[in-house]
Amino acid sequence: MKDALVPVLVIVALLVVAGLTLFFVRRPRRGALPPEASTKQAERPVIERGRQIPTDVIAPPAPTEQQPVGEKPAVDKPTVVPAPAPAPPVEQAPPVAPPPVVEAPQAPAEPVAPEIETPEPTAGRLVRLRARLARSQNVFGKGLLGLLSRDHLDDDAWDEVEESLISADVGVQATTEIVAKLRERTRVLGTRTTGDLRRLLTEELTEALDPKLDRSLHTGIVDGKPSVILVVGVNGAGKTTSCGKIARVLVADGHTVVLGAADTFRAAAADQLATWASRVGAQVVRGPEGGDPAAVAFDAVKKGIDAGVDTVLIDTAGRLQNKVGLMDELGKIKRVVEKHGPVSETLLVLDATAGQNGLSQARVFTEVADVTGVVLTKLDGTAKGGIVIAVQRALGIPVKLVGLGEGPDDLAPFDPQQFVTALLGDE
């Protein structure tokens, strides 16, 4: 029995194997379509990447032979004819830029020359500016006249007169002499009226100012060369400003001027002097900041000779009387300038408000620079106009110019008679 079952099991196994083999051979690959599906797919339009391609561009599959048993059937792939590539975009020529507009170069603007001013005449300036001394007459003029107009002039009254003169910076010695003369003349003449007392006081003050002194500025051509005026003084006295105003005085009197900015230690001094000079059409010679002042002074005189002017005005650095080195340098400037010719004038600028301190400054400058005249500034609005008398009595040097205001033409030639009249005020 067992022997009969063995062949049966072998046959069954072979049949199973043969059936499995036939099943796998006949099974299509994954992803392949059956023949019917392939035909229907070929009949529909093909969508490729969102574009509908007509079916006439798809070639029908070529007939294939039946594959032998045991081999994988070939997959029929449709041949896709690629769509024609889009034509490259036509390159457009870049827009032609319009030709640049070439503007004609503009000529640089010429600097505008400052307007040349005509300084006011110097004659009568002191009289015209009398009103600016009105504030000082309250103490100096009316105060003295009030004391002298008393019915009884005793010793106490004369002491008050002395105090008034001393407080006005007339100086002790000059005050003593003036009061002594007034007492004597009042006693002899028996004067009591205000008019007579004003006349006596005017005469004594004018005499104290020594009207016989030469107060003119030495200018003009000398031996074919211009006159040279040195302007000296301490800082703060208004030296550079006075130098500019002196130039206006000279131009107003018909002179031609070259200015030398020898104050090289103060940066703004040369610019300030150039501004003053430009207003009257004068030339300025200047040097580098911190340069040698004597060299600038030398060049200024040389420029004046070449330009044919009649006066060279040199502004020097402000010197302190206790600086020996600086004072020696001022002497050097004078010696260097004298290589061209003698110095005609050395003007010392003093501040009227400095009082008796101005005398000590003046004495040192006269020893070094041989001062020939004094320019007294800032007399407007001060009660200390008597410093004019003190300076002249102490130094024997005339006051030649006085500053009576801030205006450009407020520097006036000094006249003793007019000054005393302005100092005492109107009757």
Side-chain angles (χ1 to χ4, degrees):
M1 187 65 179
K2 294 180 180 180
D3 294 335
L5 292 174
V6 171
V8 175
L9 294 174
V10 172
I11 293 172
V12 172
L14 291 174
L15 292 175
V16 171
V17 171
L20 293 174
T21 303
L22 183 60
F23 173 77
F24 284 107
V25 169
R26 292 285 186 179
R27 184 180 178 183
R29 291 186 306 168
R30 180 180 298 178
L33 298 175
E36 297 82 3
S38 299
T39 303
K40 293 179 180 180
Q41 181 70 24
E43 293 176 355
R44 291 185 300 176
V46 178
I47 305 300
E48 182 180 12
R49 293 185 182 179
R51 296 190 299 119
Q52 182 173 355
I53 302 176
T55 56
D56 54 354
V57 298
I58 302 176
T64 58
E65 297 180 356
Q66 185 176 2
Q67 299 293 335
V69 179
E71 296 182 3
K72 295 182 179 180
V75 179
D76 297 333
K77 296 182 179 180
T79 303
V80 180
V81 179
V90 179
E91 296 183 0
Q92 297 180 356
V96 180
V101 178
V102 180
E103 297 182 358
Q106 297 181 355
E110 297 182 358
V112 180
E115 183 180 355
I116 304 301
E117 300 176 3
T118 301
E120 297 180 5
T122 59
R125 284 189 183 184
L126 202 58
V127 175
R128 179 174 53 84
L129 297 173
R130 180 181 302 177
R132 300 198 177 180
L133 289 174
R135 284 176 290 179
S136 62
Q137 74 179 5
N138 293 330
V139 176
F140 193 94
K142 290 184 178 180
L144 286 176
L145 291 174
L147 291 174
L148 295 175
S149 299
R150 292 180 180 179
D151 295 334
H152 180 65
L153 290 175
D154 53 11
D155 292 338
D156 292 337
W158 288 110
D159 290 341
E160 292 183 27
V161 172
E162 288 185 354
E163 291 176 3
S164 297
L165 292 174
I166 292 175
S167 65
D169 282 336
V170 174
V172 176
Q173 182 178 356
T175 297
T176 302
E177 294 180 5
I178 292 173
V179 171
K181 291 181 179 179
L182 280 175
R183 292 186 69 168
E184 180 65 21
R185 295 183 66 180
T186 302
R187 184 184 63 82
V188 172
L189 298 176
T191 304
R192 286 290 182 270
T193 64
T194 303
D196 291 340
L197 289 172
R198 175 187 291 275
R199 179 178 55 81
L200 290 179
L201 184 58
T202 299
E203 291 175 358
E204 293 300 329
L205 291 176
T206 303
E207 183 65 23
L209 288 171
D210 195 355
K212 297 184 296 295
L213 292 176
D214 182 12
R215 302 179 191 277
S216 62
L217 295 177
H218 297 166
T219 57
I221 299 295
V222 179
D223 296 332
K225 297 179 180 179
S227 300
V228 178
I229 300 178
L230 295 181
V231 181
V232 301
V234 298
N235 287 327
K239 178 178 51 60
T240 301
T241 300
S242 297
C243 192
K245 292 182 178 181
I246 293 171
R248 294 182 67 90
V249 169
L250 295 175
V251 172
D253 290 341
H255 297 284
T256 53
V257 185
V258 165
L259 290 93
D263 186 355
T264 60
F265 299 104
R266 189 165 62 94
D271 295 336
Q272 184 180 358
L273 196 64
T275 301
W276 280 102
S278 64
R279 295 177 179 177
V280 292
Q283 302 182 60
V284 176
V285 176
R286 57 192 301 177
E289 183 178 349
D292 185 8
V296 176
F298 183 86
D299 293 341
V301 178
K302 185 176 184 301
K303 178 66 176 179
I305 295 173
D306 296 339
V309 301
D310 59 41
T311 307
V312 176
L313 192 63
I314 300 176
D315 178 30
T316 62
R319 315 290 177 176
L320 294 177
Q321 65 272 17
N322 55 353
K323 298 293 182 68
V324 178
L326 293 179
M327 299 303 292
D328 290 342
E329 185 177 329
L330 186 58
K332 174 186 175 182
I333 293 175
K334 188 173 184 294
R335 293 192 302 271
V336 169
V337 168
E338 287 178 341
K339 293 181 179 180
H340 289 295
V343 175
S344 304
E345 291 271 4
T346 301
L347 299 178
L348 173 62
V349 179
L350 293 178
D351 185 350
T353 62
Q356 295 295 319
N357 292 332
L359 293 179
S360 59
Q361 298 171 1
R363 289 189 182 96
V364 175
F365 277 101
T366 54
E367 294 172 0
V368 175
D370 190 19
V371 177
T372 58
V374 174
V375 179
L376 202 58
T377 65
K378 305 179 184 179
L379 271 177
D380 55 317
T382 177
K384 299 183 180 298
I387 189 64
V388 181
I389 299 174
V391 168
Q392 290 196 168
R393 293 292 298 266
L395 305 176
I397 297 173
V399 173
K400 294 192 174 184
L401 297 165
V402 289
L404 301 170
E406 298 297 330
D409 294 327
D410 286 349
L411 189 68
F414 184 74
D415 181 90
Q417 181 71 37
Q418 294 181 3
F419 178 75
V420 171
T421 301
L423 202 62
L424 296 179
D426 298 329
E427 297 184 11

